[in-house]
Amino acid sequence: MKTIDELLAGGVAGKRVFVRADLNVPLSGTTITDDGRIRAVQPTVEKLAAAGARVVVASHLGRPKGAPDPAFSLAPAAARLGELIGADVAFATDTVGESARATVAALTDGKVAVIENLRFNPGETSKDDAERGAFADQLAKLADVYVGDGFGAVHRKHASVFDLPARLPHAAGDLIATEVGVLKKLTEDVERPYAVVLGGSKVSDKLGVIDHLLERADRILIGGGMAYTFLKAQGHEVGSSLLQEDQIPAVLEYLKRAEEKGVEFVLPVDVVVSAQFPDLGTKAPTEHRTVAADAIPAGFMGLDNGPETNKLYASKLADAVTVFWNGPMGVFEHPDYAEGTRAVAQALVDSQGFSVVGGGDSAAAVRILGFDENAFGHISTGGGASLEYLEGKTLPGLAALED
């Protein structure tokens, strides 16, 4: 795929460059609680503006129902982007309507605008090719060149990700180039030992990546809500912990395959449990205790890895040359259940290997728990996209950027 540097070599001064970014940031009202994705696209925006392009930034945010919804407006993200680049960023209050057309028309060389949430238009996410294409046609009228740099959306066959690049000269932004380069290190000629840490709530979300990584990883560490399905599959009682009973046959098959291939599967040996789920709003202290992973009492749910598990996982990561981590080890948003996630993050920081934090909640946890992002080899901006790449799937947004 063509790089942004190749694009710049051909000259972009005076051209309207449509940058499909990923500004899908978490909001509390209109306050951005984690601006990592905006900072990730900042270098591409600055590079284009410095070259004299008229930069039109577009993104989705959240899951609006194909119509305007103030709760999902990109206005806060546009304001934050302006703060980061140190320049005024114009904001269009629609996607392809009068405001977008006027805002883009008013841009001068080196200036930046953000158009409103793409998902306010039903054509963005439509499964109907014609409807999606019609929206892409309208978006194409706003630009002369397309730059794909929203890695967090490249696994979606959406108008701005898949259909629009076919209508304009296109290139990959620096963020996508970096993300793909990192993921290749996790799938091609991997340096070993290669350890994978998977957490999060549902086993079903990770089945594909486990299947693919069983052919590549040396050890796989499991935590978070998904661990309890593995523990149940081994015959242990898990109380009222999160459980996907229908996934037990698949889990048993993976455990069998891992043993046959010599891949080490590491599960919690102790967990922190409580009789009720914590209040993540007030973060009030809860009654909790640590029990052996095979002795979770009835009526109690596992909410984090215990201290012995934290030590075990740190030891399994200490000698790893390559580490991929996706998914928290517990309910890290509450201080009573953050230690498992903190321990994995610290183990990656302490490791001498190349560590990749696979986006989503893991990336948010790293920042929320106060870690220096530069202490990790790479923090991905796309959890779902990273996982699908590691599953070996073709990602529509990457395929669209190929010449």
Side-chain angles (χ1 to χ4, degrees), residues 56 92-106 115-116 142:
V56 182
T93 57
D94 57 27
T95 56
V96 291
E98 183 178 342
S99 178
R101 292 192 297 270
T103 300
V104 173
I115 63 175
E116 188 52 285
L142 299 176

Side-chain angles (χ1 to χ4, degrees), residues 222 266-271 293 305-314:
I222 301 293
V266 188
L267 298 176
V269 294
D270 63 344
V271 294
N305 287 347
E308 293 307 312
T309 300
N310 294 340
K311 293 177 188 175
L312 172 65
Y313 284 18

Side-chain angles (χ1 to χ4, degrees), residues 318 320-323 348 351-355 377:
V321 179
T322 305
V323 183
L348 266 62
S351 168
Q352 298 301 307
F354 179 68
S355 58

Side-chain angles (χ1 to χ4, degrees), residues 38-108:
I38 304 176
R39 288 186 285 109
V41 79
Q42 178 186 347
T44 290
V45 172
E46 290 179 329
K47 185 180 286 189
L48 288 166
R54 303 177 183 191
V55 187
V56 182
V57 181
S59 175
H60 71 286
L61 192 153
R63 297 181 182 273
K65 306 299 183 182
D69 183 338
F72 297 106
S73 175
L74 278 174
R80 179 59 181 149
L81 178 61
E83 293 172 355
L84 290 169
I85 68 174
D88 290 336
V89 170
F91 181 67
T93 57
D94 57 27
T95 56
V96 291
E98 183 178 342
S99 178
R101 292 192 297 270
T103 300
V104 173
L107 283 176
T108 55

